[in-house]
């Protein structure tokens, strides 16, 4: 009588199952993996992505990580944080939104308290995109305040 380890048997069963599945399943089961966005030129850090620099290609590698951009509309107008090479997938984590306000520029500070609205000239002390909280200096008083960047480039100051 011959004894065999259970691990060896389960390994043989798994191998046989894979072999049988490869014979009877159609070859195009892996088709339809989707598309990935790749640059057509070198894109440097700080550059804004435009549709003329990008193209969508069909994904054929089943081991491709899921953090890549899948459509041009998903990344168009975003800014690269690192160098992007032609033909390589674009990692979404390697992109950021474009800044709405930039450090040192002139902006409008707005404070709303009920029906009262106070507006003043200011300058941001840091770059910020829509919805981010930035520090800004009031140009008239020199006081540094914090506020949320709005889409029109103004900073909505938080009341203390």
């Amino acid at each position: 009588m011959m004894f065999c380890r259970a691990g060896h048997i389960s390994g043989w069963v798994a191998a046989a199952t894979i072999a049988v599945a490869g014979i009877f399943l159609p070859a195009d089961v892996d088709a339809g993996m989707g598309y990935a966005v790749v640059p057509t030129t070198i894109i440097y850090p700080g550059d804004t992505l435009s549709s003329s620099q990008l193209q969508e290609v069909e994904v054929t590698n089943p081991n491709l990580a899921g953090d890549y951009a899948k459509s041009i509309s998903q990344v168009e107008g975003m800014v690269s944080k690192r160098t992007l090479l032609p033909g390589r997938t674009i990692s979404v984590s390697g992109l950021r939104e474009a800044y709405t306000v930039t450090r040192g520029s002139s902006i409008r500070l707005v404070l709303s308290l009920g029906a009262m609205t106070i507006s003043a000239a200011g300058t941001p002390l840091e770059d910020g995109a829509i919805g981010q909280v930035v520090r800004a200096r009031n140009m008239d008083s020199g006081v540094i305040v914090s506020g949320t960047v709005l889409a029109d480039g103004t900073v909505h100051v938080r009341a203390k």
Side-chain angles (χ1 to χ4, degrees), residues 22-47:
I23 293 171
F24 292 110
L25 290 177
D28 60 351
V29 168
D30 288 336
M33 291 174 39
Y35 290 90
V37 178
V38 297
T40 56
T41 61
I42 296 175
I43 300 173
Y44 295 100
D47 289 350

Side-chain angles (χ1 to χ4, degrees), residues 63-150:
N63 298 324
L64 189 61
D67 184 36
Y68 61 90
K70 295 172 178 55
S71 69
I72 291 176
S73 62
Q74 181 183 6
V75 296
E76 189 173 18
M78 295 188 82
V79 178
S80 175
K81 292 183 195 177
R82 56 183 70 113
T83 302
L84 305 175
L85 299 174
R88 298 277 182 103
T89 58
I90 298 174
S91 173
V92 177
S93 63
L95 304 174
R96 65 168 173 80
E97 293 288 329
Y99 292 135
T100 307
V101 296
T102 55
R103 186 178 75 182
S105 64
S106 295
I107 59 167
R108 180 73 33 206
L109 300 172
V110 178
L111 172 68
S112 297
L113 293 171
M116 180 177 67
T117 302
I118 300 172
S119 178
T123 182
L125 301 176
E126 53 200 14
D127 299 331
I130 298 171
Q132 285 185 327
V133 176
V134 296
R135 293 178 309 121
R137 182 182 313 271
N138 183 325
M139 296 300 287
D140 296 328
S141 66
V143 174
I144 296 175
V145 295
S146 293
T148 305
V149 178
L150 302 178

